Amino acid sequence: MISILLLVFLLQVAIHLLNTFGAQTVNELLWTLYTKLPTPQSKDAAQSSKLRADVVRLNRDMRAVSAQDDFAKWARLRREHDKAKEKYDKQSADLQSFRTNFDRIVGFLRWGGTQGLQFVCNFWFSGHAMFWLPQGWVPYPAEWVLSFPRAPLGSISINVWTMACASVIALVSEATRATWALREGKVVEGPNKGEKIRMEGMSGGAGGGGNEKKEL
Amino acid sequence: MAEEGDMVSSLQPILDQKSLKWIFVGGKGGVGKTTTSCSLAVQMAKARKSVLLISTDPAHNLSDAFGMKFGKDARPVTGVEGLAAMEIDPNGSINDLISAGGDDAQEAMQGLGGVGSMFQDMAFSIPGVDEAMSFAEVLKQVKGMEYELIIFDTAPTGHTLRFLQFPSVLEKALEKLSALSNQFGGMINNLVAARGGLPNGQSFDDVLKKMEDLRNTIGDVNKQFKNPDLTTFIPVMIPEFLSLYETERMIQELGNYEIDTHAIVVNQLLFPKKDNPCEQCNARRKMQKKYLEQIDDLYGEDFNVVKMPLLVNEVRGVDSITKFSEMLVKPYEAPE
């Protein structure tokens, strides 16, 4: 049995990662994996993307032919295009409805595996001590808070441990990102992505960055 | 159905198709639909016992074409045996139908308060339902009359397709209405009873029953329209880009509605003589030739493509139409 301390920490890591990358990205990733596996939907998805390619190709062909000068050819292409488009629309609608179900199930499992599990743990282990503080380290009010809500006095409760894990993970993550940004010398995420970081004393680099920006 | 493989360029196969009961003639405005449908009607009248020509174009041209006045009732065309014609207005809205019940009905509708106006709202909110209603009226009339063949001279393209959609539209609308009445029938009946009933001692159930009848009629007609042995659609076009484009679109849509079409009339062809000095005529002939080639390429295999010349005089009056109509059957020989 995995230690409850470690479990809570890992759960918090998972929640943090999910929040950072976004649930949509995770769904997207899982969907890609799912359609790569030999499932009935993987065939549909492959067919759907093939049909889409067909529609795009036919559309391009149709544009290449002048309707005025070569109506017969154009009309035939158009018939083919309309047929392919109809087929594609139907197929993609089918796939889309499955995808909605898939997303819902994945979302449910994701929630159950992270937040839900966290809730259950918090409830289940609320009366347990995560670990004990040496006696007399902190005054009584602090001890009371640290054991909130139901852990024995003088111990750390699971809720407090959860919060501590979350804070540390957030700090570490922030630090990692900041370090990365500093190493790259430019903003690595958000709306200003790619912009150079300008700092005092970086006269050469900052000047270069300024010029580049003007060129853009 | 027309013979496979050998598509002659005349409407003779349609004349020979004795099982046909409905023929629709349609196309963009100004391509000669009315002239074509009148000519077809004249030819058909020779081959069948009785033919009815109905114009659903709001701009009624039948009267102009034949040079006599037609109205909402079928009237025989003088000079053509076995041919009758009538003009109906597809825009005749449901208002007419309501006001046909007289002020009594109007008052009753208002008397019903919320329910009455709900019905009116519903009737107006379903697209095409007012036109469908007038269409249904016509169908009821036509069903009572014993014509061997009925030819529709339809309104310009967009309109035509809507007109052909009506049966499905009305069926859907009535289905909704029946479902609604099954749910709320009792309540509506109570309301009506509380207001002293509908005019003329009708009950709500009677009204619903009438609608049900209408639905059955329409469903029946819909089935007939989708039967290629009973119904065909003849697009009329001129050899110009837009007309060709619309026709192609129309043929595809007709395919979606499962309505048979296997004959096309290409109208207003120019046949200038070889040594013609008219520059415009020759240039236009060249353009028409280009599109004619495309038409033959695209439709030649599956359609009877009938080529009609542009005449020097207007095609008006029975004699003129009769003469013109012969070219539908015997392909026009261009002078050298």
Side-chain angles (χ1 to χ4, degrees):
Chain A
M1 178 64 196
I2 184 169
S3 140
I4 183 68
L5 280 172
L6 191 58
L7 177 67
V8 168
F9 178 76
L10 290 179
L11 270 178
Q12 285 305 314
V13 171
I15 291 172
H16 182 81
L17 286 177
L18 272 178
N19 288 343
T20 316
F21 291 113
Q24 200 51 47
T25 324
V26 174
N27 280 4
E28 215 65 60
L29 189 73
L30 284 175
W31 177 249
T32 318
L33 278 177
Y34 183 77
T35 49
K36 285 272 189 298
L37 293 172
T39 48
Q41 278 68 34
S42 74
K43 220 167 67 191
D44 283 359
Q47 206 181 351
S48 179
S49 64
K50 192 180 150 284
L51 279 172
R52 188 170 51 215
D54 267 1
V55 170
V56 171
R57 178 180 57 79
L58 285 167
N59 202 348
R60 203 175 40 228
D61 287 358
M62 209 165 79
R63 275 160 202 277
V65 174
S66 156
Q68 272 89 351
D69 295 337
D70 217 348
F71 189 84
K73 198 176 165 202
W74 183 85
R76 284 201 179 98
L77 278 172
R78 195 185 145 105
R79 284 177 197 175
E80 220 178 313
H81 170 264
D82 287 354
K83 224 195 237 160
K85 181 109 200 309
E86 199 182 325
K87 213 168 146 199
Y88 167 71
D89 283 347
K90 199 174 160 288
Q91 174 118 36
S92 71
D94 286 353
L95 203 60
Q96 200 56 46
S97 79
F98 180 80
R99 173 80 201 261
T100 317
N101 267 338
F102 180 85
D103 279 357
R104 208 173 50 220
I105 291 167
V106 164
F108 184 73
L109 288 178
R110 192 186 54 228
W111 190 88
T114 53
Q115 308 275 14
L117 194 54
Q118 183 70 60
F119 278 136
V120 169
C121 283
N122 280 3
F123 178 76
W124 197 256
F125 294 101
S126 61
H128 293 230
M130 291 292 105
F131 55 85
W132 294 92
L133 287 173
Q135 217 162 13
W137 260 29
V138 289
Y140 171 78
E143 269 187 350
W144 187 84
V145 168
L146 288 176
S147 66
F148 188 84
R150 287 213 304 261
L153 203 65
S155 71
I156 299 294
S157 77
I158 188 165
N159 297 56
V160 172
W161 175 240
T162 306
M163 273 189 271
C165 286
S167 319
V168 168
I169 289 163
L171 280 173
V172 169
S173 150
E174 198 63 35
T176 316
R177 275 194 258 178
T179 317
W180 183 25
L182 278 176
R183 262 191 62 177
E184 293 286 314
K186 59 187 175 190
V187 182
V188 287
E189 60 192 335
N192 298 330
K193 195 174 173 175
E195 226 168 83
K196 290 258 181 195
I197 295 174
R198 261 184 287 176
M199 270 184 281
E200 308 239 351
M202 278 179 67
S203 56
N211 282 344
E212 255 174 50
K213 205 176 156 198
K214 255 177 218 161
E215 275 165 33
L216 283 173
Chain B
M1 296 240 56
E3 307 86 339
E4 295 295 319
D6 190 26
M7 304 307 281
V8 290
S9 49
S10 82
L11 289 183
Q12 191 64 46
I14 297 227
L15 259 75
D16 295 339
Q17 199 179 338
K18 294 282 183 197
S19 63
L20 272 182
K21 192 149 174 34
W22 314 89
I23 296 179
F24 289 88
V25 180
K28 259 169 78 75
V31 296
K33 280 186 302 295
T34 304
T35 312
T36 308
S37 54
C38 289
S39 306
L40 182 65
V42 167
Q43 282 301 318
M44 280 296 187
K46 282 184 193 166
R48 311 284 158 95
K49 273 196 230 85
S50 55
V51 176
L52 176 65
L53 176 60
I54 302 178
S55 163
T56 60
D57 195 336
H60 290 308
N61 305 318
L62 284 190
S63 301
D64 287 340
F66 280 116
M68 59 185 82
K69 185 78 195 116
F70 297 110
K72 278 189 171 176
D73 312 306
R75 256 172 248 176
V77 179
T78 39
V80 187
E81 212 172 312
L83 178 61
M86 66 193 275
E87 293 176 337
I88 59 156
D89 195 351
N91 293 328
S93 66
I94 198 160
N95 256 342
D96 287 353
L97 233 81
I98 293 168
S99 54
D103 288 342
D104 267 6
Q106 291 276 24
E107 270 167 35
M109 277 291 190
Q110 265 152 25
L112 283 177
V115 182
S117 63
M118 187 183 81
F119 270 120
Q120 276 180 336
D121 283 352
M122 197 155 57
F124 279 113
S125 63
I126 303 162
V129 84
D130 48 346
E131 285 144 302
M133 286 297 221
S134 66
F135 185 55
E137 280 296 301
V138 172
L139 287 180
K140 245 198 290 182
Q141 275 185 43
V142 168
K143 258 197 151 182
M145 299 185 275
E146 283 305 313
Y147 286 100
E148 216 178 313
L149 176 80
I150 291 152
I151 300 176
F152 283 92
D153 172 28
T154 64
T157 312
H159 225 118
T160 309
L161 293 175
R162 273 183 75 192
F163 201 78
L164 289 173
Q165 246 183 319
F166 286 166
S168 342
V169 170
L170 195 57
E171 239 180 295
K172 259 183 220 147
L174 286 175
E175 228 163 77
K176 264 185 207 158
L177 205 61
S178 324
L180 199 79
S181 75
N182 281 341
Q183 276 186 305
F184 299 112
M187 195 180 79
I188 295 172
N189 254 337
N190 284 342
L191 275 170
V192 172
R195 304 297 307 191
L198 284 173
N200 312 330
Q202 290 175 310
S203 79
F204 189 70
D205 285 339
D206 283 347
V207 176
L208 280 179
K209 200 163 162 291
K210 256 185 209 162
M211 289 205 163
E212 200 64 28
D213 284 350
L214 194 65
R215 187 173 134 191
N216 288 339
T217 313
I218 298 234
D220 187 31
V221 168
N222 209 359
K223 230 174 267 154
Q224 290 199 16
F225 280 179
K226 288 181 176 174
N227 186 343
D229 292 329
L230 296 177
T231 308
T232 194
F233 192 104
I234 304 179
V236 181
M237 66 162 140
I238 52 178
E240 277 175 24
F241 175 68
L242 272 180
S243 180
L244 187 52
Y245 176 84
E246 293 278 341
T247 306
E248 163 67 14
R249 220 185 50 160
M250 187 162 71
I251 287 172
Q252 295 308 316
E253 276 192 56
L254 285 169
N256 289 343
Y257 298 148
E258 300 168 51
I259 291 168
D260 173 67
T261 167
H262 61 270
I264 294 177
V265 175
V266 185
N267 208 353
Q268 299 182 4
L269 288 177
L270 286 173
F271 293 104
K273 294 193 178 88
K274 275 255 167 68
D275 52 349
N276 197 306
C278 166
E279 257 178 61
Q280 281 173 333
C281 310
N282 290 331
R284 210 161 172 77
R285 167 71 188 150
K286 213 177 135 201
M287 183 204 78
Q288 291 195 339
K289 224 171 164 176
K290 182 177 95 179
Y291 286 117
L292 263 182
E293 276 163 18
Q294 301 293 329
I295 290 166
D296 278 335
D297 184 5
L298 194 56
Y299 304 116
E301 285 167 24
D302 318 308
F303 287 83
N304 299 109
V305 181
V306 186
K307 292 163 188 141
M308 303 293 278
L310 179 69
L311 300 186
V312 282
N313 54 326
E314 255 187 299
V315 183
R316 284 178 91 168
V318 176
D319 292 341
S320 181
I321 286 175
T322 310
K323 226 176 119 203
F324 186 74
S325 73
E326 262 147 34
M327 288 184 284
L328 283 174
V329 186
K330 278 189 226 115
Y332 175 73
E333 300 282 336
E336 277 305 303

